Amino acid sequence: NNPDVQKALHANVTGIPYPWVTCSDVIRGSWTDSPRSMLPIIKQLIDAGLRIWVFSGDTDAVLPLTATRYSIKALNLKANTSWYAWYDKQKVGGWSQVYEGLTYVTVRGAGHEVPLTRPKLALTLFRHFLADQIMPLSPN
């Protein structure tokens, strides 16, 4: 809600009259144009050759990682790597599995909004996504 930060991020350019909050009831209560399931869209994006990464906080009570894993399973993607622990320095940062066209990453100790609750691990995840590298397989 800091005007300098909003300006730097080109956020709130319309001047909404209320402060930004996580999980806004203003948006959630009036958002009606989304599909019931993102799976068909994810499948289309994979089929178009886009690299898809899905991530979850392992303490997320809104969208538990088990639900996300069941959803990914429904896509019937070929697994390229088995479920493995990924590392940030000497500690487990979470778990990951790489499929054909999709990478799933969990972030240890993160809630529903991973960058908000575990920013350092979220940055590691984002850097690996940008570099098109799987999450680290061993302590570094």
Side-chain angles (χ1 to χ4, degrees), residues 67-98:
T68 304
R69 289 189 75 190
Y70 284 129
S71 295
I72 292 170
K73 184 177 180 179
L75 290 170
N76 294 314
L77 302 173
K78 178 181 175 247
N80 292 342
T81 66
S82 296
W83 190 242
Y84 70 93
W86 65 269
Y87 290 85
D88 179 60
K89 305 226 183 301
Q90 298 297 316
K91 295 182 180 179
V92 172
W95 292 81
S96 184
Q97 185 160 13
V98 180

Side-chain angles (χ1 to χ4, degrees), residues 8-140:
L9 295 175
H10 305 283
N12 197 16
V13 293
T14 59
I16 57 172
Y18 47 84
W20 177 88
V21 295
T22 59
C23 291
S24 167
D25 286 334
V26 172
I27 293 172
R28 286 183 23 196
S30 60
W31 192 355
T32 60
D33 66 345
S34 62
R36 289 189 59 83
S37 172
M38 289 298 295
L39 294 181
I41 293 169
I42 291 171
K43 186 72 170 137
Q44 287 176 345
L45 295 173
I46 291 169
D47 291 346
L50 293 175
R51 192 168 38 94
I52 306 298
W53 279 41
V54 176
F55 61 91
S56 301
D58 68 2
T59 64
D60 186 344
V62 178
L63 296 170
L65 68 93
T66 50
T68 304
R69 289 189 75 190
Y70 284 129
S71 295
I72 292 170
K73 184 177 180 179
L75 290 170
N76 294 314
L77 302 173
K78 178 181 175 247
N80 292 342
T81 66
S82 296
W83 190 242
Y84 70 93
W86 65 269
Y87 290 85
D88 179 60
K89 305 226 183 301
Q90 298 297 316
K91 295 182 180 179
V92 172
W95 292 81
S96 184
Q97 185 160 13
V98 180
Y99 301 87
E100 199 131 316
L102 183 142
T103 299
Y104 180 51
V105 180
T106 69
V107 179
R108 191 172 136 240
H112 184 59
E113 295 170 343
V114 171
L116 187 65
T117 55
R118 296 301 298 247
K120 184 173 177 284
L121 295 177
L123 181 58
T124 299
L125 185 157
F126 191 58
R127 283 183 172 150
H128 281 77
F129 169 76
L130 291 177
D132 195 14
Q133 298 174 340
I134 66 170
M135 299 303 287
L137 291 162
S138 59
N140 48 2

